Amino acid sequence: MSRFWHILKEQLARIRASLGSRTFDADFDEEAEAHLELLTERFVRRGMSPDEARYAARRQFGGVTLMKSELRDRSRFRPLEAVLQDSTYVVRQFRKSPLFAITSILTLALGIGANTAIFTLVDQLILRLLPIKDPQQVVALVGQGQFYGDNMGENPISAKIRG
Amino acid sequence: MPKKYATVSYAMSKGNTPDQKRSEVLQGTLDLMILKTLDAMGPLHGYGIARRIEQLSEDVLQLNEGTVYTSLLRLQQQGWISSSWGASENNRKAKFYSITKGGRKQLVEETENWERISGVIGRVLRTAGAK
């Protein structure tokens, strides 16, 4: 139970971090730089040359780049950030070219409207039962066999029905 | 038997160990050590924490110091530590971390947990060796 609670807390912290404006990357860059510098100074005091010391400091710290990307992934909720970024990008583009925005919105609106209208029609005519009494008793007549010409009024089935 | 489970997973941390006599730091243990350090020493920055752990471990533990920051992030996300900007020894901007009230509570719980688990493991290892 407490494990679940910890995961929940971590995710909430990540979402909060993503919604906030603080850039974690810059924070950690600064922290890591300060850390490496202090380590380097320490090695220099122990008698290393500055180059050696710098190298030893990097080794003791571990991969800075890898650490950065891992921390970035763990500190924030990336999918939320992606959605927010995309939405602000869209709004910005529309502001930049309003004519294009209106055209694309109208195109989408008309497209969706036309599709809805046609679907409503098809739905009523074909998909739903007809608005008559006992619709399940209605049959469709299909002619089979050979007919010549286009005089459908003369076809034998309708003649038979007419009696 | 106590029915509480360990909330810290004692997974091995990455990184190679060139020296056989030096042990790798267990990941969950690093969280615990950092909590304890902040509890005992007051606010510290990442470098200070690494130095303190190095000093206490008498060079037995091998630590990629960057992993301290992974731990610090984890602890912050759980609300067990908080951070604020200050100036380091060499007058650079540095982030200082301090333990919170919730962190102290967690520290007590985790310490008990750790002692229980290491006690059990120690007992098991001793029995196995007595054969």
Side-chain angles (χ1 to χ4, degrees):
Chain A
M1 211 45 211
S2 85
R3 172 119 193 93
F4 168 78
W5 184 236
H6 289 164
I7 292 172
L8 187 73
K9 255 170 135 181
E10 189 196 316
Q11 297 308 325
L12 284 176
R14 287 170 69 178
I15 289 172
R16 263 204 312 279
S18 281
L19 291 176
S21 55
R22 282 180 67 104
T23 51
F24 176 81
D25 295 8
D27 274 13
F28 181 66
D29 273 4
E30 214 156 340
E31 271 191 292
E33 260 326 297
H35 193 127
L36 282 172
E37 216 166 87
L38 285 165
L39 265 181
T40 309
E41 281 166 21
R42 187 163 184 258
F43 286 131
V44 168
R45 275 200 302 278
R46 287 179 177 182
M48 284 187 189
S49 75
D51 278 353
E52 268 180 323
R54 187 90 194 144
Y55 180 70
R58 287 199 167 270
R59 206 177 40 202
Q60 187 151 334
F61 191 84
V64 183
T65 320
L66 194 72
M67 191 61 62
K68 258 185 221 172
S69 76
E70 195 190 326
L71 281 174
R72 199 183 306 128
D73 285 346
R74 280 166 181 258
S75 66
R76 340 204 74 189
F77 192 66
R78 302 289 287 271
L80 179 67
E81 274 176 50
V83 168
L84 287 177
Q85 252 169 33
D86 287 356
S87 340
T88 50
Y89 176 71
V90 164
V91 171
R92 223 171 31 236
Q93 288 297 312
F94 274 6
R95 283 233 185 110
K96 220 170 92 187
S97 45
L99 202 67
F100 171 75
I102 290 168
T103 315
S104 50
I105 290 170
L106 272 181
T107 309
L108 279 172
L110 281 176
I112 295 169
N115 270 296
T116 317
I118 291 180
F119 176 74
T120 314
L121 202 69
V122 169
D123 185 45
Q124 291 293 328
L125 288 179
I126 298 174
L127 298 179
R128 280 178 207 274
L129 294 172
L130 290 170
I132 49 170
K133 199 178 164 234
D134 297 332
Q136 66 271 23
Q137 289 188 352
V138 175
V139 288
L141 292 177
V142 180
Q144 247 182 349
Q146 287 186 325
F147 303 101
Y148 295 98
D150 54 359
N151 192 355
M152 293 297 281
E154 290 292 309
N155 93 61
I157 296 174
S158 32
K160 203 167 185 181
I161 290 174
R162 262 186 257 114
Chain B
M1 276 302 276
K3 61 179 177 183
K4 278 188 79 179
Y5 296 102
T7 48
V8 175
S9 49
Y10 301 101
M12 298 297 281
S13 70
K14 283 178 247 163
N16 39 8
T17 320
D19 188 342
Q20 290 293 315
K21 287 235 173 81
R22 296 177 83 187
S23 318
E24 287 187 5
V25 177
L26 304 173
Q27 210 164 44
T29 345
L30 183 58
D31 291 8
L32 183 56
M33 285 196 288
I34 289 175
L35 267 187
K36 181 68 197 174
T37 307
L38 291 177
D39 185 47
M41 308 282 293
L44 278 177
H45 47 57
Y47 177 81
I49 295 170
R51 291 288 71 71
R52 174 72 180 168
I53 290 175
E54 183 187 64
Q55 182 197 344
L56 286 182
S57 78
E58 289 161 341
D59 289 335
V60 173
L61 290 178
Q62 193 216 343
L63 180 67
N64 267 350
E65 294 183 12
T67 54
V68 166
Y69 293 94
T70 325
S71 252
L72 285 171
L73 175 66
R74 219 169 15 234
L75 294 170
Q76 252 181 316
Q77 285 174 333
Q78 296 300 331
W80 295 331
I81 59 173
S82 61
S83 68
S84 60
W85 288 98
S88 72
E89 294 89 329
N90 60 352
N91 259 328
R92 275 193 76 121
K93 227 171 110 191
K95 222 182 203 177
F96 283 82
Y97 298 88
S98 43
I99 192 166
T100 61
K101 212 175 140 198
R104 290 215 168 80
K105 215 178 120 216
Q106 177 67 13
L107 176 61
V108 172
E109 272 175 37
E110 278 315 322
T111 309
E112 281 167 10
N113 233 335
W114 173 255
E115 276 162 3
R116 198 162 60 233
I117 289 170
S118 58
V120 169
I121 292 174
R123 267 204 307 283
V124 168
L125 292 181
R126 273 194 298 280
T127 6
K131 205 172 120 185

